[in-house]
Amino acid sequence: FWHKCPKCYIEPKSNKKYWIPKINKNVKRDRNNARTLRLQGFKVLNIWEHEIRRNFSSAFEKIIGM
């Protein structure tokens, strides 16, 4: 929810003037942080909560496969 998972994100129904800019700011911050880390030579991997809950082994394999 907080970082707009492409599968799970549902736009808030109340207090949209607050929540939508806040969530978009989180997404922008995540994108900037990932870019900074890549420029420093790090590999960046995003694993969503639903991926871990659905199939922990698969999520773990993503990490190992990096």
Side-chain angles (χ1 to χ4, degrees), residues 2-15:
W2 300 105
H3 300 266
K4 264 188 169 173
C5 170
K7 284 190 173 185
C8 301
Y9 176 72
I10 298 171
E11 188 174 277
K13 293 181 180 16
S14 62
N15 205 6

Side-chain angles (χ1 to χ4, degrees), residues 1 3 5 10 14-15 25 29 32 34 49 53 58 62:
F1 176 81
H3 300 266
C5 170
I10 298 171
S14 62
N15 205 6
K25 183 178 168 186
R29 184 192 62 227
N32 289 337
E49 181 179 359
R53 288 177 187 246
S58 176
K62 276 186 171 182

Side-chain angles (χ1 to χ4, degrees), residues 1 8 10 14 18 22 26 32 36 44-45 50-51 57-58 65:
F1 176 81
C8 301
I10 298 171
S14 62
Y18 172 79
K22 179 171 180 50
N26 287 347
N32 289 337
T36 298
V44 177
L45 175 65
H50 73 266
E51 293 178 286
S57 296
S58 176

